[in-house]
Structures are given as structure tokens and as C-alpha cells.
Amino acid sequence: MKYYVKTSWDENVPVRNIYCIGRNYRAHAAELNNEVPKQPFFFQKSLPSLNTSREIIVPDNRDIHHELEVVILVQKNGENINEADVQNHIGGFALGLDLTDRNFQNELKEKKLPWLLSKSFKGSAVVSRFQSKPIEEDFWLKINGLFRQKGNVKDMVFSIPKQVSYLSEMIPLLAGDLIFTGTPSGVGPIHTGDKLELGIGEHSIHSIVVS
Ligand code: MG
């Protein structure tokens, strides 16, 4: 079974791996009482967690939090990519939600266990269509019409070139890999019936309903 993301030019691109950086905005690290890391660190979401639909199905009795993030699509294989060359390896930019089972993640963190199971439930890697243009304006999440998260890539602890270069030194990147580049502050729960809108600047680019 293959999993695909869509582009604004109507291409379906098969996805390989889903990587995510943690604690990449100072205000978000602080809101969860975490220190800002000195080096980037990453975790993965499972491939079947990919969600390009218009629906989030929340597992029963779980405290699922939204984490709004810029997502990048890797367009060609690469190892040890120089920061200056990173732009040649990126095939598109999207907005996404790194949905997280927060209580479960906290339990795993306390036990010093991997976060995988709190980050990888079906439908938990929400991704909009990819555009070719970098996301330079403020990006945002509204829930039921109210702003809940707002961010700008210039506030990242580790810039996109830095994190892609670093990750490619550790793991060969493959065409079709996705990288979630971290969430700004304002994470919080979603509930059945919520209507979520993701946008850039003045424009809403993706809407999704929680059921
Ligand atoms: Mg995240």
C-alpha cells in the first residue's frame, strides 16, 4: 500500500518516511516545561498516520492535542546535504498537524520510552497540499473560528536548512520523505465537532473536521 500527498499542481507524490523535529520554537518548549535543545532531535510518525483527508477521527477517551507545523517534502535522495544545498532537495511546503496523544506522551516521557505510539495513531499526521513557494508569512490554526496557534519560520530554533542538513548527516533522506519542522506555542486539545482551519497570511489553505 502506498501513501500519497497532493501538490498544488495536482501531482500525487508517494511518501516514504515521516520525520518530526521536537522543541523547535522557544515558546513551545517553555509551555511544556522543556528546555530548548542544543542540537536538533527527531522522532518519527508511522506512514499509516498520514492524513490528507478532511476528517480527523479522535480515538476514544484520549487527550489529543494539535501541533501546527510547516511540513516539507523531500524531492530527491541525499546524504550529508550542505545547508546551502538544502533548497535543491525540497520539493514543496505544506502545513500540517502533528497530532499528539498528550497524556500518553507524558507517560512515555516519564519512563524515558520512545514517543512513537503517542504520535502515530491512524490519521495523526495531517498534511495540506504542498506548494512550491516557501512559507514566509505567518502561518496559523483556527479552531471554530478562533486563532489558536500562530507561527513564523523565522522563529525556529533550528532553521529548515539547518535541520534538513543535520538530519541528512544521520539518516539518508529519500525522495518522498516528509519533515514536520516543529510547532509554535499554543498547543491544546481538539474535540469531536471542532472545525479546524489552517492558513498562511490572509489565506485559509486547509480545513478539517474532528469526528
Ligand atoms: Mg510536533
Side-chain angles (χ1 to χ4, degrees):
M1 173 129 182
K2 283 198 169 177
Y3 292 84
Y4 295 88
V5 288
K6 286 188 164 60
T7 67
S8 59
W9 52 97
D10 270 336
E11 202 182 331
N12 289 310
V13 180
V15 175
R16 302 293 291 271
N17 298 286
I18 304 175
Y19 299 110
C20 311
I21 193 170
R23 299 172 196 160
N24 200 30
Y25 290 80
R26 283 181 181 79
H28 170 63
E31 75 183 342
L32 296 186
N33 296 315
N34 291 309
E35 300 211 338
V36 175
K38 296 204 167 44
Q39 279 189 320
F41 78 94
F42 292 86
F43 58 90
Q44 278 188 279
K45 293 172 88 79
S46 66
L47 195 50
S49 72
L50 185 67
N51 185 353
T52 58
S53 80
R54 298 296 174 155
E55 186 183 29
I56 295 166
I57 300 173
V58 170
D60 287 342
N61 305 316
R62 311 302 302 186
D63 182 32
I64 304 301
H65 278 207
H66 54 81
E67 294 189 0
L68 173 69
E69 313 203 4
V70 170
V71 183
I72 57 183
L73 171 62
V74 175
Q75 71 168 350
K76 62 177 182 180
N77 298 355
E79 289 179 66
N80 302 309
I81 305 166
N82 290 324
E83 281 182 44
D85 196 31
V86 163
Q87 58 182 1
N88 299 317
H89 286 259
I90 297 179
F93 301 83
L95 290 180
L97 297 171
D98 165 20
L99 296 177
T100 303
D101 186 333
R102 189 69 71 202
N103 290 338
F104 189 20
Q105 185 198 24
N106 286 338
E107 279 172 38
L108 294 168
K109 272 159 78 173
E110 270 170 35
K111 294 176 187 164
K112 301 198 180 336
L113 291 171
W115 301 352
L116 177 72
L117 298 181
S118 66
K119 289 280 193 178
S120 283
F121 54 91
K122 190 177 172 185
S124 64
V126 172
V127 184
S128 74
R129 272 181 193 249
F130 281 83
Q131 60 177 52
S132 54
K133 201 168 153 277
I135 297 173
E136 285 162 347
E137 290 175 272
D138 286 352
F139 57 94
W140 47 263
L141 167 70
K142 281 184 192 177
I143 300 182
N144 304 325
L146 299 174
F147 283 110
R148 292 296 183 83
Q149 285 192 272
K150 220 179 234 188
N152 192 295
V153 297
K154 69 175 170 17
D155 296 323
M156 287 179 171
V157 177
F158 302 105
S159 67
I160 288 174
K162 180 115 211 151
Q163 50 179 296
V164 174
S165 172
Y166 182 86
L167 184 58
S168 77
E169 288 171 14
M170 301 291 173
I171 302 174
L173 293 180
L174 301 176
D177 286 349
L178 303 184
I179 304 174
F180 280 69
T181 61
T183 190
S185 60
V187 301
I190 54 172
H191 303 102
T192 302
D194 284 347
K195 292 185 173 62
L196 279 59
E197 241 181 288
L198 287 65
I200 303 167
E202 300 291 303
H203 304 286
S204 172
I205 63 158
H206 192 74
S207 56
I208 187 161
V209 171
V210 183
S211 54

